[in-house]
Amino acid sequence: MDMKALPPPAVMFARLLYEAGSFAGAREVFQTMITDLVDVQHLTANEVSGPGGYDWGIDTYVGQLDSAIAVWQSKFFLDWSGESQRGQVRQSFNELMKKAASEGFSVDAWTLCTPCILAPEEQQWFDTWAAGKRRNHKLSISLWNGTALRKRLMQPDAAIVRERYFSEQGGLGQAPEHVQFIDDLTLFNDTLFVRQLEAAGEAETDAAKGLFFAAEALARDLAEKGNRDGVAALQELHLEIQHLWEQRFNVGVRQVDHDGRIDSLLEDVMSAAASCPDPDGIRLRPAHRKGIAHRLVEDARAGWVKHWREIATTHDGPRATKPISLRVAEPAELEATS
């Protein structure tokens, strides 16, 4: 991709919101992008995440949480209007400093990352606020605004990050796959993924059925068209979303109710899946990514309650998914069957 092809920051990052389909999804994509960008120079860039998104005020960090760290705080502000944004910045910084004091680590550097460009009076506020915090806490404070982020993405070393999020092949320039719909959702009434949702206490499941169909129809289309790259990309995304589910399940399963239900598991996984970056070679809508989560449950690779494996083992309803094969018929084989 030509480095000059990157549009102005307002256009670049508004597209992140459009592709993610929600501010929550765009925030997660933006934070992941920041971690990837930091990793260009610091190969140990990492994140932390607790139940409900509890993270000690840390989005991306480098270092050790038992000694000293540098932190990059991601704030997906497409505009900075004043006190609301100031308050969120102060809250995140103060939470980090309190945790550093109580948990026994130090913060050497703190960088605010936001896609917007501040108005003069807001930039003045940040500069004044940052100067005070530098004096009080003896640390470095920086700002990566939309202009700074665009410049970093245009550097040769950041090519892989630029391609991942903004390339014409796998990024914002390629139109996402169409979402396919089905009228008769009752076809899925007796499926495993619906049974798992019901076990988790979900009374209404029509939207989940529609999301499942969108992902299933896409998987079948890619396989039937012989799109090896698309099939491989979709399989990679299945693995990524299964990993997201596994992380949240392993944390949430420590506290379940008497029915084996895990608080907020479904909501957390769906939010994370919707904003999961697409692999190279395919562009999806949030509906596809959410549908993949239901597809994993239908394939007995995930579930929404502690005893999900037992439900999967005893389920005797119809199978709603079609296995995807990477093998595509060669031209000679197609001729032989024509």
Side-chain angles (χ1 to χ4, degrees), residues 4-84:
K4 296 180 180 178
L6 281 181
V11 177
M12 285 175 57
F13 296 110
R15 248 344 246 280
L16 281 188
L17 174 60
Y18 171 78
E19 295 293 344
S22 67
F23 268 101
R27 280 194 295 268
E28 292 205 31
V29 173
F30 182 69
Q31 179 178 329
T32 302
M33 188 202 76
I34 294 298
T35 300
D36 290 345
L37 197 55
V38 172
D39 197 61
V40 171
Q41 293 184 323
H42 306 278
L43 296 181
T44 58
N46 204 354
E47 299 180 6
V48 292
S49 179
Y54 184 55
D55 58 12
W56 290 6
I58 300 171
D59 285 342
T60 302
Y61 75 99
V62 171
Q64 301 293 327
L65 283 172
D66 59 356
S67 56
I69 61 173
V71 172
W72 286 259
Q73 179 68 43
S74 299
K75 294 293 184 185
F76 190 69
F77 300 148
L78 291 179
D79 60 80
W80 185 306
S81 57
E83 186 54 39
S84 175

Side-chain angles (χ1 to χ4, degrees), residues 158-267:
I160 189 171
V161 182
R162 186 171 63 249
E163 289 293 322
R164 184 175 300 152
Y165 294 94
F166 302 108
S167 76
E168 293 183 359
Q169 288 73 35
L172 299 176
Q174 178 182 345
E177 298 286 342
H178 293 294
V179 175
Q180 298 188 48
F181 300 92
I182 187 172
D183 293 328
D184 187 7
L185 296 173
T186 62
L187 294 172
F188 302 115
N189 284 352
D190 298 321
T191 54
L192 175 58
F193 80 93
V194 171
R195 184 179 171 192
Q196 292 272 21
L197 286 167
E198 292 170 346
E202 298 297 311
E204 296 291 339
T205 59
D206 279 357
K209 295 172 186 175
L211 293 169
F212 170 86
F213 178 79
E216 179 65 14
L218 174 64
R220 296 189 185 195
D221 282 354
L222 291 173
E224 290 170 1
K225 292 176 181 176
N227 186 338
R228 284 189 177 92
D229 291 341
V231 168
L234 198 63
Q235 289 184 326
E236 179 183 346
L237 190 58
H238 276 70
L239 185 60
E240 290 288 347
I241 292 177
Q242 184 179 15
H243 178 62
L244 293 173
W245 165 83
E246 192 175 80
Q247 287 181 311
R248 285 153 179 79
F249 181 88
N250 287 339
V251 171
V253 77
R254 300 167 189 168
Q255 293 183 326
V256 299
D257 65 14
H258 63 280
D259 292 317
R261 296 171 181 171
I262 302 171
D263 185 43
S264 299
L265 176 63
L266 177 63
E267 294 85 350

